[in-house]
Amino acid sequence: MVIKKHGDILSSEITDEHLFLNRRNFVRAAVLAGTTTATALLYRRFAIPAPVPAQVAANIEGVKSSTPDVAVPPPPADARTPYEKITNYNNYYEFTTDKEDVARLARNFTTRPWTVEVGGLVQKPKTFDIDDLIKLAPQEERVYRFRCVEGWSMIIPWVGFPLAKLLSAVEPLGGARYVAFESVVRPKEMPGQREGTLDFPYVEGLRLDEAMHPLTILATGIYGKVLLPQNGAPVRLVVPWKYGFKSAKAIVKITLTEREPPTTWNLATPSEYGFYSNVNPQVDHPRWSQATEQRIGEFGRRDTLMFNGYADEVAQLYAGMDLRRYF
Ligand code: MTE
């Protein structure tokens, strides 16, 4: 994102991916060749994060693979991004800005007990225990394209349920027009919050009709398994036609409001990040093009699709709006 003012984030992202692969090969070779001490010295010498042993999350029971009562497009035909990549290449500034080190730093993050306070302009405000929240609606698998504003993308089989189910349960009042999301603040467990790279809590927002759209989900898992901390456990937002930063992780508060709520990246750099953040290959980021993307695990770049490939489902939400102005 914007923290390090690179001249050209896009190419550094590509370099990142090569580095990622090279480091892994290097680390593997080092582990095979050396003793534990020698390897530890190598990590220190080259400042390479030590590899995290594979993390295994618990399975989620009773996930429905189809969606019974909402119209959702079929999953993209492209290959799903491997679990290991989804769980080891993360943006989560509460822990670190190093995508390959989030998994290690988030490993012991506690996700129980956990509550989500839902209030603001609603008839029935309620603080949900996370385990009750998850039972509000059947858990569904949703295979979505995920496009980061930095230019990389994945195909992720999420497990979750439509945010609309939760919003309907609290009964929005007539004056509610927006939904604000707030992530957890826990500096003792989140080293990035002690460094103050961004102002925390991480906050995000959607227009109410975007939040109620059947594609918008609260995710609780990936690949049929409970979310690992690095992916936003125990519950995160996923809005597949918007850049990844709209998908706030580790949500503790949801507030319905009359006015457009502030959002973290817009507060940090308003000229670069707007409120809407719809994936749009025709509107460049001020410092790089958004026309193509690097699918993690692939060679070469592919064209980015309007609304990330979900135009048939969501374009009408923005009818008549100038998407260059409302970026
Ligand atoms: N949510 C919180 N609370 N903190 C963050 O730093 N990063 C965002 C988004 N949600 C972020 C967050 C960004 S920039 C992206 S691209 C996605 O999470 C990354 O999600 P992933 O790590 O599961 O791929």
Side-chain angles (χ1 to χ4, degrees), residues 15 27 82 93 104 107-108 116 120 135 148 151 164 187 206 222 238 248 279 314 316 325:
T15 316
V27 166
Y93 284 75
R104 183 181 68 85
R107 207 173 166 75
N108 296 320
V116 181
K135 283 186 216 130
C148 178
L206 294 173
I222 286 171
V238 177
V279 173
V314 302
Q316 79 281 0
R325 180 164 172 224

Side-chain angles (χ1 to χ4, degrees), residues 90-94 148 183 202 231 236 244-245 247 249:
N90 304 103
N91 266 337
Y92 205 165
Y93 284 75
E94 284 88 336
C148 178
S183 299
Y202 192 96
N231 292 108
R236 72 173 293 170
F245 64 86
S247 300
K249 297 176 170 183

Side-chain angles (χ1 to χ4, degrees), residues 1-10 12-13 287-288:
M1 303 286 288
V2 78
I3 295 300
K4 296 172 205 154
K5 294 263 182 192
H6 300 296
D8 180 355
I9 293 266
L10 208 54
S12 77
E13 278 306 310
R287 290 184 288 129
W288 61 83

Side-chain angles (χ1 to χ4, degrees), residues 211-248:
M212 293 295 284
H213 193 280
L215 285 181
T216 304
I217 59 168
L218 286 176
T220 57
I222 286 171
Y223 271 106
K225 297 176 190 307
V226 172
L227 277 184
L228 288 172
Q230 57 267 40
N231 292 108
V235 66
R236 72 173 293 170
L237 184 65
V238 177
V239 194
W241 70 95
K242 293 180 179 278
Y243 291 116
F245 64 86
K246 297 299 279 183
S247 300

Side-chain angles (χ1 to χ4, degrees), residues 1 85-87 89-96 99 102 146-150 152 154 156 158 182-184 190 198 200-204 222 227 230-232 236-237 243-251 264-265:
M1 303 286 288
K85 294 249 164 93
I86 301 173
T87 55
Y89 192 75
N90 304 103
N91 266 337
Y92 205 165
Y93 284 75
E94 284 88 336
F95 289 97
T96 173
K99 300 184 209 315
V102 176
F146 186 84
R147 169 65 157 79
C148 178
V149 74
E150 296 163 336
W152 52 268
M154 299 190 187
I156 305 184
W158 300 104
E182 201 174 300
S183 299
V184 73
M190 301 177 120
L198 285 172
F200 296 107
Y202 192 96
V203 287
E204 256 307 337
I222 286 171
L227 277 184
Q230 57 267 40
N231 292 108
R236 72 173 293 170
L237 184 65
Y243 291 116
F245 64 86
K246 297 299 279 183
S247 300
K249 297 176 170 183
I251 293 172
T264 287
W265 287 102

